[in-house]
Amino acid sequence: MTALSLRALNRALMDRQFLLTRTDHSPLEVIGRLVALQAQEPNWAYVGLWSRIHGFTQSELTALLEDRQVVRSGLLRSTQHLAAADDFRRLRPLLQPVLDRTAGSSHFTRNSTGLAAESLVAEGLDLIGGGTLSRKELARRLAERHPGRDGRILAGEVELRTPLVHGAATGAWGSWGNRSAVCVTPAEAWLGQPMATAATAIGSTDSAKELIRRYLAAFGPAGVKDVQAWCGLTRLGEVVADMNAELRRYCGPDGRELVDLADAELPDPETPAPVRLLPAFDNALLGHADRTRVISDEDRKRVMPGQAQVRPAFLVDGRVHGTWSLGTGTLRLTPFRPLRATDRVALEQEAHRLLPFVGGTTVSYSDAVATRSS
């Protein structure tokens, strides 16, 4: 097998994530290529597209949400994602076992002891009635039906166990952070089309193979553990083995076997990678179990400090070099180590380009380390 360096894997990831060169593809095409964009805080998905698409505007994604071509709902790893409507219809049933596993964790089960999951889902759907209901109201009504139980946890379990879509009013560009007024609608009512059936999704080897192909197109080359970490499904090694004839195999820097689409091209490892500002929870940082192709283990602790946090980060030469934040109109850069003069200029230029998009007015550094050249 051909051996791939860490730099080769980095450039492959940057290329497939549209971070090596911004693309002229439409937002819908880019979302489809990336399979889904993590979006538990809605504004960050917009920033992710801005970093990948030439001339991207907020109105483009908002229009897709309003036209129901893109939906926001629980998907990969039981977290909120944006996905093309047709992809969501096919992928959510395939990934439902992952969401059910989350709903079966102690956080939910200790609140629903003695209450059958099927009955809870049926109650939730009955309360929503095929229309739209706020999460808060759904929680209140469920609590009324089940005194002594936390309605918010019951509502969260319903949302995990059955596909509910968030409307554009709370899934589109707006206030920063999670939205307290999120409303949910049954996916089939929102999309006007049925979800894929269990026969074509859950447990379907063909569906799992297609998911792996889509993953590799956006994140490959990668190992089986990487695919599983990205989507939450398990026992995919058997599926990958069955795809042997259509995959190319490599040896990673640590000796692990990596696979890729047979016709996928790898960019020259020496291709320059421009400075990029990534949003919180960006795909590029969350698509692998072994993330050293884009972030060191030391820096990973700074960007992902726990409690489900993934801070906005910036890339220098294709790798995480620091974090950034936005507050009171200031975009604040926090490098983890000194920047070369040329990289500092490129970073400041990219930050100033982002300012009007996020409503900022000033760029500053939060650490004097950035003012020193290495």
Side-chain angles (χ1 to χ4, degrees), residues 22 24 48 54-56 111 135 140 161 172 190 202 207 209 218 233 250 262 267 270 295 303-304 363 369:
R22 279 186 169 92
D24 290 320
H54 282 296
F56 172 73
N111 185 64
R135 272 178 172 173
R140 186 187 70 77
R161 293 193 182 277
W190 182 260
I202 299 176
S207 294
K209 287 180 180 178
L233 293 172
Y250 295 100
E270 299 307 313
I295 185 170
V303 176
M304 306 167 197
V363 173
V369 70

mmCIF file of all heavy atoms in Angstrom, residues 22 24 48 54-56 111 135 140 161 172 190 202 207 209 218 233 250 262 267 270 295 303-304 363 369:
data_model
loop_
_atom_site.group_PDB
_atom_site.id
_atom_site.type_symbol
_atom_site.label_atom_id
_atom_site.label_comp_id
_atom_site.label_asym_id
_atom_site.label_seq_id
_atom_site.Cartn_x
_atom_site.Cartn_y
_atom_site.Cartn_z
ATOM 1 N N ARG A 22 -11.566 28.429 -2.371
ATOM 2 C CA ARG A 22 -13.007 28.654 -2.319
ATOM 3 C C ARG A 22 -13.639 28.215 -3.641
ATOM 4 O O ARG A 22 -13.048 28.339 -4.701
ATOM 5 C CB ARG A 22 -13.327 30.117 -2.039
ATOM 6 C CG ARG A 22 -13.243 30.495 -0.556
ATOM 7 C CD ARG A 22 -13.721 31.921 -0.332
ATOM 8 N NE ARG A 22 -13.891 32.221 1.067
ATOM 9 C CZ ARG A 22 -12.958 32.752 1.852
ATOM 10 N NH1 ARG A 22 -11.761 33.039 1.331
ATOM 11 N NH2 ARG A 22 -13.198 32.995 3.132
ATOM 12 N N ASP A 24 -16.975 27.878 -6.506
ATOM 13 C CA ASP A 24 -18.093 28.592 -7.114
ATOM 14 C C ASP A 24 -19.365 27.749 -7.098
ATOM 15 O O ASP A 24 -20.396 28.170 -7.634
ATOM 16 C CB ASP A 24 -17.756 28.973 -8.564
ATOM 17 C CG ASP A 24 -16.698 30.065 -8.630
ATOM 18 O OD1 ASP A 24 -16.759 30.999 -7.806
ATOM 19 O OD2 ASP A 24 -15.806 29.981 -9.497
ATOM 20 N N GLY A 48 -19.349 28.782 8.158
ATOM 21 C CA GLY A 48 -18.678 27.674 7.498
ATOM 22 C C GLY A 48 -18.797 27.740 5.989
ATOM 23 O O GLY A 48 -17.839 27.452 5.258
ATOM 24 N N HIS A 54 -17.099 31.290 -2.787
ATOM 25 C CA HIS A 54 -16.863 32.647 -3.285
ATOM 26 C C HIS A 54 -18.141 33.476 -3.171
ATOM 27 O O HIS A 54 -19.201 33.062 -3.638
ATOM 28 C CB HIS A 54 -16.455 32.625 -4.764
ATOM 29 C CG HIS A 54 -15.031 32.241 -4.999
ATOM 30 N ND1 HIS A 54 -13.974 33.001 -4.552
ATOM 31 C CD2 HIS A 54 -14.484 31.180 -5.647
ATOM 32 C CE1 HIS A 54 -12.835 32.428 -4.916
ATOM 33 N NE2 HIS A 54 -13.115 31.320 -5.567
ATOM 34 N N GLY A 55 -18.049 34.631 -2.531
ATOM 35 C CA GLY A 55 -19.159 35.579 -2.517
ATOM 36 C C GLY A 55 -20.414 35.093 -1.826
ATOM 37 O O GLY A 55 -21.516 35.603 -2.103
ATOM 38 N N PHE A 56 -20.308 34.137 -0.905
ATOM 39 C CA PHE A 56 -21.490 33.617 -0.225
ATOM 40 C C PHE A 56 -22.167 34.697 0.601
ATOM 41 O O PHE A 56 -21.517 35.484 1.288
ATOM 42 C CB PHE A 56 -21.094 32.446 0.682
ATOM 43 C CG PHE A 56 -22.209 31.967 1.566
ATOM 44 C CD1 PHE A 56 -23.263 31.244 1.026
ATOM 45 C CD2 PHE A 56 -22.213 32.261 2.925
ATOM 46 C CE1 PHE A 56 -24.299 30.803 1.836
ATOM 47 C CE2 PHE A 56 -23.244 31.818 3.741
ATOM 48 C CZ PHE A 56 -24.290 31.092 3.195
ATOM 49 N N ASN A 111 -35.717 9.680 33.534
ATOM 50 C CA ASN A 111 -36.886 10.562 33.547
ATOM 51 C C ASN A 111 -38.123 9.903 32.949
ATOM 52 O O ASN A 111 -39.236 10.402 33.098
ATOM 53 C CB ASN A 111 -36.562 11.843 32.764
ATOM 54 C CG ASN A 111 -37.664 12.878 32.809
ATOM 55 O OD1 ASN A 111 -37.994 13.407 33.864
ATOM 56 N ND2 ASN A 111 -38.250 13.185 31.658
ATOM 57 N N ARG A 135 -40.620 24.083 21.138
ATOM 58 C CA ARG A 135 -40.057 23.097 22.062
ATOM 59 C C ARG A 135 -40.592 23.329 23.481
ATOM 60 O O ARG A 135 -40.928 22.389 24.201
ATOM 61 C CB ARG A 135 -38.530 23.220 22.084
ATOM 62 C CG ARG A 135 -37.784 22.403 21.053
ATOM 63 C CD ARG A 135 -36.311 22.695 21.201
ATOM 64 N NE ARG A 135 -35.469 21.830 20.395
ATOM 65 C CZ ARG A 135 -34.167 22.010 20.277
ATOM 66 N NH1 ARG A 135 -33.577 23.019 20.900
ATOM 67 N NH2 ARG A 135 -33.444 21.200 19.530
ATOM 68 N N ARG A 140 -44.051 21.663 27.972
ATOM 69 C CA ARG A 140 -45.095 21.984 28.952
ATOM 70 C C ARG A 140 -46.245 20.989 28.873
ATOM 71 O O ARG A 140 -46.738 20.492 29.895
ATOM 72 C CB ARG A 140 -45.600 23.398 28.715
ATOM 73 C CG ARG A 140 -46.598 23.894 29.773
ATOM 74 C CD ARG A 140 -47.204 25.232 29.399
ATOM 75 N NE ARG A 140 -48.107 25.132 28.273
ATOM 76 C CZ ARG A 140 -49.353 24.655 28.356
ATOM 77 N NH1 ARG A 140 -49.832 24.226 29.511
ATOM 78 N NH2 ARG A 140 -50.119 24.603 27.280
ATOM 79 N N ARG A 161 -36.163 10.498 18.925
ATOM 80 C CA ARG A 161 -36.737 9.241 18.457
ATOM 81 C C ARG A 161 -37.573 9.362 17.188
ATOM 82 O O ARG A 161 -37.879 8.344 16.559
ATOM 83 C CB ARG A 161 -37.575 8.609 19.577
ATOM 84 C CG ARG A 161 -36.742 8.143 20.761
ATOM 85 C CD ARG A 161 -37.537 7.266 21.693
ATOM 86 N NE ARG A 161 -36.776 6.849 22.866
ATOM 87 C CZ ARG A 161 -35.925 5.831 22.907
ATOM 88 N NH1 ARG A 161 -35.689 5.131 21.820
ATOM 89 N NH2 ARG A 161 -35.298 5.518 24.032
ATOM 90 N N ALA A 172 -32.388 29.921 10.785
ATOM 91 C CA ALA A 172 -31.685 30.810 9.866
ATOM 92 C C ALA A 172 -30.832 31.815 10.634
ATOM 93 O O ALA A 172 -30.824 31.847 11.868
ATOM 94 C CB ALA A 172 -32.692 31.534 8.975
ATOM 95 N N TRP A 190 -43.325 18.694 6.993
ATOM 96 C CA TRP A 190 -42.530 19.844 6.553
ATOM 97 C C TRP A 190 -42.073 19.677 5.112
ATOM 98 O O TRP A 190 -42.130 20.607 4.311
ATOM 99 C CB TRP A 190 -41.329 20.023 7.477
ATOM 100 C CG TRP A 190 -40.462 21.203 7.144
ATOM 101 C CD1 TRP A 190 -39.283 21.193 6.467
ATOM 102 C CD2 TRP A 190 -40.715 22.568 7.483
ATOM 103 N NE1 TRP A 190 -38.768 22.466 6.356
ATOM 104 C CE2 TRP A 190 -39.631 23.337 6.964
ATOM 105 C CE3 TRP A 190 -41.737 23.223 8.172
ATOM 106 C CZ2 TRP A 190 -39.553 24.717 7.129
ATOM 107 C CZ3 TRP A 190 -41.651 24.604 8.324
ATOM 108 C CH2 TRP A 190 -40.579 25.337 7.800
ATOM 109 N N ILE A 202 -32.627 1.682 7.468
ATOM 110 C CA ILE A 202 -32.116 1.063 8.680
ATOM 111 C C ILE A 202 -31.629 -0.359 8.387
ATOM 112 O O ILE A 202 -32.378 -1.198 7.903
ATOM 113 C CB ILE A 202 -33.196 1.023 9.774
ATOM 114 C CG1 ILE A 202 -33.622 2.462 10.127
ATOM 115 C CG2 ILE A 202 -32.694 0.315 11.014
ATOM 116 C CD1 ILE A 202 -34.754 2.525 11.115
ATOM 117 N N SER A 207 -27.396 1.224 1.742
ATOM 118 C CA SER A 207 -27.463 2.582 2.276
ATOM 119 C C SER A 207 -26.198 2.925 3.048
ATOM 120 O O SER A 207 -25.674 4.041 2.951
ATOM 121 C CB SER A 207 -28.684 2.738 3.181
ATOM 122 O OG SER A 207 -29.875 2.619 2.445
ATOM 123 N N LYS A 209 -23.256 1.650 2.530
ATOM 124 C CA LYS A 209 -22.185 1.833 1.549
ATOM 125 C C LYS A 209 -22.236 3.223 0.935
ATOM 126 O O LYS A 209 -21.195 3.872 0.744
ATOM 127 C CB LYS A 209 -22.291 0.774 0.451
ATOM 128 C CG LYS A 209 -21.887 -0.625 0.882
ATOM 129 C CD LYS A 209 -22.033 -1.606 -0.279
ATOM 130 C CE LYS A 209 -21.622 -3.015 0.139
ATOM 131 N NZ LYS A 209 -21.796 -3.990 -0.966
ATOM 132 N N ALA A 218 -15.858 13.570 1.080
ATOM 133 C CA ALA A 218 -15.703 14.818 1.831
ATOM 134 C C ALA A 218 -14.568 14.791 2.847
ATOM 135 O O ALA A 218 -14.056 15.849 3.220
ATOM 136 C CB ALA A 218 -17.006 15.146 2.558
ATOM 137 N N LEU A 233 -22.473 5.456 13.726
ATOM 138 C CA LEU A 233 -22.789 4.049 13.487
ATOM 139 C C LEU A 233 -21.604 3.169 13.874
ATOM 140 O O LEU A 233 -20.461 3.634 13.909
ATOM 141 C CB LEU A 233 -23.140 3.820 12.017
ATOM 142 C CG LEU A 233 -24.443 4.467 11.519
ATOM 143 C CD1 LEU A 233 -24.555 4.322 10.008
ATOM 144 C CD2 LEU A 233 -25.657 3.842 12.205
ATOM 145 N N TYR A 250 -4.612 2.720 1.582
ATOM 146 C CA TYR A 250 -3.354 3.411 1.877
ATOM 147 C C TYR A 250 -2.892 3.020 3.276
ATOM 148 O O TYR A 250 -3.657 2.482 4.084
ATOM 149 C CB TYR A 250 -3.543 4.923 1.842
ATOM 150 C CG TYR A 250 -3.890 5.502 0.493
ATOM 151 C CD1 TYR A 250 -5.215 5.823 0.172
ATOM 152 C CD2 TYR A 250 -2.906 5.758 -0.460
ATOM 153 C CE1 TYR A 250 -5.542 6.375 -1.057
ATOM 154 C CE2 TYR A 250 -3.222 6.301 -1.692
ATOM 155 C CZ TYR A 250 -4.544 6.611 -1.989
ATOM 156 O OH TYR A 250 -4.852 7.155 -3.206
ATOM 157 N N ALA A 262 -11.782 4.879 -5.197
ATOM 158 C CA ALA A 262 -10.744 4.473 -6.147
ATOM 159 C C ALA A 262 -10.398 5.577 -7.127
ATOM 160 O O ALA A 262 -9.248 5.685 -7.575
ATOM 161 C CB ALA A 262 -11.197 3.217 -6.896
ATOM 162 N N PRO A 267 -4.380 15.870 -3.847
ATOM 163 C CA PRO A 267 -3.586 17.025 -4.270
ATOM 164 C C PRO A 267 -2.125 16.861 -3.880
ATOM 165 O O PRO A 267 -1.785 16.062 -2.996
ATOM 166 C CB PRO A 267 -4.237 18.189 -3.510
ATOM 167 C CG PRO A 267 -4.861 17.555 -2.313
ATOM 168 C CD PRO A 267 -5.308 16.195 -2.754
ATOM 169 N N GLU A 270 2.484 19.559 -1.307
ATOM 170 C CA GLU A 270 3.136 20.871 -1.205
ATOM 171 C C GLU A 270 2.240 22.019 -1.663
ATOM 172 O O GLU A 270 2.661 23.173 -1.686
ATOM 173 C CB GLU A 270 4.436 20.871 -2.014
ATOM 174 C CG GLU A 270 5.457 19.846 -1.526
ATOM 175 C CD GLU A 270 5.731 19.972 -0.036
ATOM 176 O OE1 GLU A 270 5.947 21.100 0.440
ATOM 177 O OE2 GLU A 270 5.698 18.934 0.654
ATOM 178 N N ILE A 295 -5.306 19.045 13.412
ATOM 179 C CA ILE A 295 -5.091 19.673 14.721
ATOM 180 C C ILE A 295 -4.273 18.737 15.606
ATOM 181 O O ILE A 295 -4.515 17.528 15.638
ATOM 182 C CB ILE A 295 -6.440 20.018 15.399
ATOM 183 C CG1 ILE A 295 -6.228 20.787 16.702
ATOM 184 C CG2 ILE A 295 -7.290 18.780 15.623
ATOM 185 C CD1 ILE A 295 -7.521 21.351 17.282
ATOM 186 N N VAL A 303 -9.234 23.712 21.736
ATOM 187 C CA VAL A 303 -10.384 23.972 20.878
ATOM 188 C C VAL A 303 -11.612 23.192 21.345
ATOM 189 O O VAL A 303 -12.748 23.657 21.212
ATOM 190 C CB VAL A 303 -10.055 23.619 19.415
ATOM 191 C CG1 VAL A 303 -11.267 23.782 18.515
ATOM 192 C CG2 VAL A 303 -8.913 24.499 18.913
ATOM 193 N N MET A 304 -11.368 22.007 21.909
ATOM 194 C CA MET A 304 -12.455 21.139 22.380
ATOM 195 C C MET A 304 -12.230 20.845 23.862
ATOM 196 O O MET A 304 -11.815 19.740 24.233
ATOM 197 C CB MET A 304 -12.475 19.851 21.559
ATOM 198 C CG MET A 304 -12.547 20.107 20.055
ATOM 199 S SD MET A 304 -12.198 18.626 19.067
ATOM 200 C CE MET A 304 -11.863 19.367 17.456
ATOM 201 N N VAL A 363 -10.874 44.086 14.485
ATOM 202 C CA VAL A 363 -10.097 42.866 14.689
ATOM 203 C C VAL A 363 -9.023 43.159 15.728
ATOM 204 O O VAL A 363 -8.347 44.185 15.660
ATOM 205 C CB VAL A 363 -9.442 42.384 13.378
ATOM 206 C CG1 VAL A 363 -8.495 41.218 13.646
ATOM 207 C CG2 VAL A 363 -10.502 41.981 12.364
ATOM 208 N N VAL A 369 1.326 37.033 22.022
ATOM 209 C CA VAL A 369 2.147 36.086 21.276
ATOM 210 C C VAL A 369 2.067 36.366 19.781
ATOM 211 O O VAL A 369 3.014 36.128 19.022
ATOM 212 C CB VAL A 369 1.719 34.635 21.567
ATOM 213 C CG1 VAL A 369 0.356 34.319 20.972
ATOM 214 C CG2 VAL A 369 2.747 33.642 21.034
#
